[in-house]
Amino acid sequence: MEEEKRLYPFRFCALQNDYIWGSETFRAADLGYRDSLIRDGWLAGNSFSEIMDTYMDRVSGQFSFDLFGRQFPLCIRTIKVNGKMPLRVHPDDETALDRYDLLGKEKLWYVADSEEDAAILLGWNRGTNASEMIDAFDRPDRLPEMLNRVRAEKGMLLHIPSGTVHAAVGKLELLEIAEASPLDFCLHSWGEERSEEEFDPALSGLDALDFIDYKAYSSEMPKPATQGEVSVLLELPQFTVKRIELRDGLKVCNGENDGFSLFSCVQGRARVLCDECKPLPLDCGETALVPAECEEFVLEPADRDTILLETSIPARHIPDRYIDKD
């Protein structure tokens, strides 16, 4: 009987969509309408959904597989803005599940590059309501005055909770880490035509009115919790993101977590080394998946000042809301 092949770290082929305001490039996506193809090794040419159907918890780990089944739970994309991105909002997990049988879209934006005039529009700068918001949609001069404007700076981290209206303007590049969900609702496109490639026509902005957060948004950014060269940027129930300053080789042991790791290179270049596997190069802008089956591996810098973002779903206790109401 032929010995079963072990899985290995791999990258995905880029899937790019161009819009009036810029572009989005999916780096790792298992969304149905966007399904990344494996780029490296003997799995090359297979889609993300195919390897999840075939290898299941060997890819995602037992904890993630128990929660999400054959749906890979995260999506990574690069967003390049050169203009004004449409104003959008996403629902929480409970709303998304009840209405659409999908995940919500909790997300993080990391500013990979930015020019001086670039900004993030993030929530309201004062309390408002649905009626006032809809009225402002017909008055282009009024809507921007209601939005909280944050100057975009390279290296900035922005957590975008569900219900928070948001967009990006100017010239900048973002790395988006989010739940694997198509549920972005377009609220306003600044007079430009809405692309059906970007927004599902069935998802009307009117459907989002009851889950938008109309309170004034606090612009306080998360403060990284640092442990040597590794900083915890954001820790959510949906995922955890760490920043790794890769100065020397770093050995990673994922066996205890029983989960995958996604590594996105935001500066410099790196290599992923795993026993009996060909070294995997990781250039700036690329994302690699290290499957749960690869319990030990090494991250090695190929350039000085290399920085990686690691995204994972650590195993944790999930209380049963019917048994444990607290």
Side-chain angles (χ1 to χ4, degrees):
M1 183 174 180
E2 184 180 350
E3 185 177 351
E4 190 172 39
K5 290 185 177 180
R6 289 186 61 80
L7 299 182
Y8 55 91
F10 51 78
R11 297 164 298 176
F12 300 90
C13 299
L15 295 170
Q16 181 170 318
N17 294 324
D18 295 319
Y19 306 114
I20 294 172
W21 55 265
S23 67
E24 62 177 353
T25 302
F26 290 88
R27 302 295 180 183
D30 177 17
L31 295 170
Y33 75 104
R34 293 289 180 275
D35 196 354
S36 297
L37 296 180
I38 311 304
R39 179 176 165 187
D40 307 290
W42 55 267
L43 287 170
N46 287 276
S47 68
F48 207 163
S49 62
E50 287 172 340
I51 68 162
M52 286 300 300
D53 285 344
T54 304
Y55 301 105
M56 300 181 287
D57 60 303
R58 292 174 61 188
V59 178
S60 60
Q62 191 63 54
F63 174 77
S64 178
F65 187 76
D66 288 345
L67 282 180
F68 306 106
R70 299 182 185 186
Q71 164 75 61
F72 191 79
L74 299 177
C75 178
I76 310 287
R77 62 177 179 158
T78 300
I79 302 171
K80 292 186 177 181
V81 182
N82 188 11
K84 211 166 188 177
M85 172 192 280
L87 188 68
R88 62 195 65 208
V89 70
H90 53 267
D92 61 22
D93 288 330
E94 186 174 1
T95 301
L97 180 62
D98 289 346
R99 295 185 186 178
Y100 306 102
D101 196 26
L102 293 168
L103 294 174
K105 201 171 184 181
E106 199 78 17
K107 67 174 73 169
L108 174 148
W109 278 359
Y110 178 89
V111 181
D113 200 8
S114 174
E115 294 200 355
E116 188 174 353
D117 65 338
I120 308 295
L121 305 179
L122 191 59
W124 310 104
N125 55 29
R126 58 176 177 81
T128 185
N129 54 55
S131 178
E132 186 180 20
M133 180 188 72
I134 293 172
D135 182 59
F137 288 164
D138 296 324
R139 299 174 57 181
D141 59 326
R142 186 178 180 190
L143 183 58
E145 295 176 356
M146 297 171 61
L147 293 165
N148 185 44
R149 187 181 180 97
V150 180
R151 181 179 175 182
E153 298 180 1
K154 184 176 180 179
M156 176 183 285
L157 174 82
L158 300 116
H159 171 217
I160 306 176
S162 57
T164 303
V165 298
H166 58 286
V169 297
K171 192 170 185 179
L172 69 160
E173 181 176 328
L174 304 166
L175 179 72
E176 180 183 279
I177 300 169
E179 293 178 88
S181 172
L183 294 179
D184 263 329
F185 291 72
C186 182
L187 297 176
H188 197 266
S189 56
W190 316 107
E192 301 289 352
E193 184 178 352
R194 301 181 189 188
S195 169
E196 293 188 5
E197 289 290 320
E198 184 179 10
F199 298 106
D200 187 339
L203 301 178
S204 165
L206 295 175
D207 297 327
L209 294 182
D210 66 333
F211 66 74
I212 292 174
D213 187 347
Y214 295 103
K215 299 189 297 293
Y217 179 79
S218 171
S219 59
E220 183 178 351
M221 302 302 166
K223 296 179 180 178
T226 304
Q227 297 178 341
E229 298 174 11
V230 181
S231 305
V232 179
L233 295 181
L234 191 64
E235 196 165 12
L236 301 172
Q238 292 84 358
F239 55 85
T240 295
V241 180
K242 298 178 182 179
R243 180 180 184 272
I244 301 173
E245 294 183 19
L246 199 58
R247 300 168 187 167
D248 300 299
L250 178 65
K251 185 175 182 179
V252 182
C253 299
N254 269 353
E256 294 182 1
N257 293 332
D258 182 36
F260 65 87
S261 290
L262 283 163
F263 292 99
S264 301
C265 185
V266 295
Q267 183 173 302
R269 294 181 302 131
R271 298 197 308 166
V272 184
L273 309 177
C274 192
D275 287 346
E276 301 179 5
C277 299
K278 184 178 179 181
L280 181 73
L282 189 60
D283 291 341
C284 187
E286 293 183 332
T287 291
L289 172 66
V290 180
E293 192 166 80
C294 301
E295 295 183 353
E296 292 187 359
F297 55 94
V298 173
L299 302 173
E300 182 180 87
D303 268 348
R304 296 182 60 184
D305 303 320
T306 294
I307 297 175
L308 306 178
L309 298 188
E310 178 189 8
T311 308
S312 61
I313 301 181
R316 63 189 185 279
H317 170 66
I318 304 295
D320 188 316
R321 62 180 178 177
Y322 296 103
I323 297 174
D324 185 1
K325 294 184 179 180
D326 295 330

